[in-house]
Amino acid sequence: MIDPAVTQLRLRLLANGYSPIRSLDKRTFMAGWPHAKIDEAEIRRWGRMRRDKATGIRVEDGLAVIDFDIDDAALMLRIGDAVLDAIPVLADLKVPLLVRRGKGAKVAWFVGTEEAFSRIHSRAWLKPGTTVDDGAHRVEIFGGASPRQFGSFGYHTAPEHGKEAIFYRWEGRSPLDTPLSQLPVLTKKQFFEIADIVEATLEAAGWTVVLKTTRGENKTSWVYDLTEDMVFQCDDGIDRKLRELVGGLRCSASFTGDKSAKRRDRCQIAVTREGRVVVTDHDGDVKHAEKPDTQLMKNVSAKLARLIEVTRR
């Protein structure tokens, strides 16, 4: 059974206009979470479960999250001050800006958005003297037009497989005492301005851009290179083949042939409803998938050829 206090926390979030999601830590294994109906009955049903003690919030209904994935305290202070200066509504003490902290200096701001969008982002950047496998840094802003949930309460990192427990924490107010309707509302133009501020600050600090990464709105490259013989070094300490991968896990990028890739949490693993495996390397803005079915493509080409011939008759 889940601690009854967790159920009450989730009910308070629901009452304040948010959609809570049950999670293990920053990850959710809740089936169908992007579109599941979240109501009081569903939340009380979760109370009978033992595992999912953490709580995320689904990004939707006018909620946007500015995810400053920049693990440098001094630079985050500089970036935060520059953003507050550029967008006065965020500095207005009468309008609650919700600030959530997780691991290290990384921080997420919960705000409102005038219009839904998928993802606005900067390029990925490296601290001087580091490589991509040491961890790249960027800002990503999510606006509810595509499935996304953010860990918010409880574990950021659950104490499994020898990992040290890390908890989410809020600076002052949180979604527990602040209705979604009270958050400062930004325009899409202002979100792009935030990404520009991050880029300018990191460049001025002497950081370098990760090659082939992009800036803008939801631009990710697809590479169809996953094969049956690849070995994926997963963050639970187990090495797996392609057919053994489970959605929600993370793995290193060593399957790409990069021998310097050591971090087992660098890439995110997902399995689509059709059973297709997609491995996302966020540090390179690349999604890895299996090569499309060539026979299927041949069939499509043949059908198109027959259709063209029929229309010519």
Side-chain angles (χ1 to χ4, degrees), residues 35 39 94 141 164 176 191 268-269:
H35 307 292
D39 56 17
K94 297 178 182 178
I141 308 169
E164 179 184 357
L176 287 176
F191 289 121
Q268 188 170 4
I269 300 167

Short mmCIF file of all heavy atoms in Angstrom, two decimals, residues 35 39 94 141 164 176 191 268-269:
data_model
loop_
_atom_site.label_atom_id
_atom_site.label_comp_id
_atom_site.label_asym_id
_atom_site.label_seq_id
_atom_site.Cartn_x
_atom_site.Cartn_y
_atom_site.Cartn_z
N HIS A 35 -2.59 9.55 -22.14
CA HIS A 35 -4.00 9.85 -22.42
C HIS A 35 -4.94 9.29 -21.34
O HIS A 35 -6.16 9.38 -21.49
CB HIS A 35 -4.39 9.29 -23.78
CG HIS A 35 -3.47 9.73 -24.88
ND1 HIS A 35 -3.40 11.03 -25.32
CD2 HIS A 35 -2.56 9.02 -25.63
CE1 HIS A 35 -2.49 11.12 -26.29
NE2 HIS A 35 -1.98 9.93 -26.49
N ASP A 39 -8.75 11.03 -12.49
CA ASP A 39 -9.80 11.58 -11.63
C ASP A 39 -9.60 11.03 -10.22
O ASP A 39 -8.65 10.28 -9.95
CB ASP A 39 -11.19 11.26 -12.17
CG ASP A 39 -11.43 9.76 -12.37
OD1 ASP A 39 -10.66 8.95 -11.79
OD2 ASP A 39 -12.37 9.40 -13.10
N LYS A 94 3.77 39.11 -7.42
CA LYS A 94 2.34 38.84 -7.29
C LYS A 94 1.89 37.65 -8.14
O LYS A 94 0.76 37.18 -8.00
CB LYS A 94 1.55 40.08 -7.70
CG LYS A 94 1.80 41.30 -6.81
CD LYS A 94 1.02 42.50 -7.30
CE LYS A 94 1.31 43.74 -6.45
NZ LYS A 94 0.57 44.92 -6.96
N ILE A 141 11.91 23.30 -23.51
CA ILE A 141 10.66 23.86 -23.02
C ILE A 141 9.51 23.06 -23.63
O ILE A 141 9.42 22.92 -24.85
CB ILE A 141 10.54 25.34 -23.40
CG1 ILE A 141 11.79 26.11 -22.94
CG2 ILE A 141 9.29 25.95 -22.78
CD1 ILE A 141 11.90 27.51 -23.49
N GLU A 164 22.11 6.35 -4.91
CA GLU A 164 21.75 7.16 -3.77
C GLU A 164 20.41 7.84 -4.03
O GLU A 164 20.16 8.35 -5.12
CB GLU A 164 22.83 8.23 -3.53
CG GLU A 164 22.53 9.16 -2.38
CD GLU A 164 23.58 10.25 -2.23
OE1 GLU A 164 24.56 10.23 -3.01
OE2 GLU A 164 23.40 11.12 -1.36
N LEU A 176 1.16 22.24 -5.11
CA LEU A 176 0.27 21.86 -4.02
C LEU A 176 -0.50 23.05 -3.46
O LEU A 176 -1.61 22.89 -2.94
CB LEU A 176 1.07 21.19 -2.89
CG LEU A 176 1.58 19.78 -3.16
CD1 LEU A 176 2.42 19.30 -2.00
CD2 LEU A 176 0.41 18.82 -3.41
N PHE A 191 9.18 32.13 -25.01
CA PHE A 191 9.90 30.87 -24.80
C PHE A 191 11.13 30.79 -25.71
O PHE A 191 12.19 30.33 -25.29
CB PHE A 191 8.97 29.69 -25.05
CG PHE A 191 7.91 29.51 -23.99
CD1 PHE A 191 6.56 29.54 -24.31
CD2 PHE A 191 8.27 29.30 -22.67
CE1 PHE A 191 5.59 29.36 -23.33
CE2 PHE A 191 7.31 29.13 -21.68
CZ PHE A 191 5.97 29.17 -22.02
N GLN A 268 17.46 7.26 -23.61
CA GLN A 268 16.17 6.81 -23.09
C GLN A 268 15.56 5.78 -24.03
O GLN A 268 15.52 5.99 -25.25
CB GLN A 268 15.24 7.99 -22.91
CG GLN A 268 13.94 7.64 -22.19
CD GLN A 268 13.15 8.88 -21.82
OE1 GLN A 268 13.53 9.99 -22.17
NE2 GLN A 268 12.05 8.70 -21.12
N ILE A 269 15.06 4.69 -23.45
CA ILE A 269 14.48 3.59 -24.23
C ILE A 269 12.95 3.67 -24.17
O ILE A 269 12.37 3.84 -23.11
CB ILE A 269 14.95 2.23 -23.70
CG1 ILE A 269 16.48 2.12 -23.79
CG2 ILE A 269 14.29 1.08 -24.46
CD1 ILE A 269 17.05 0.95 -23.01
#
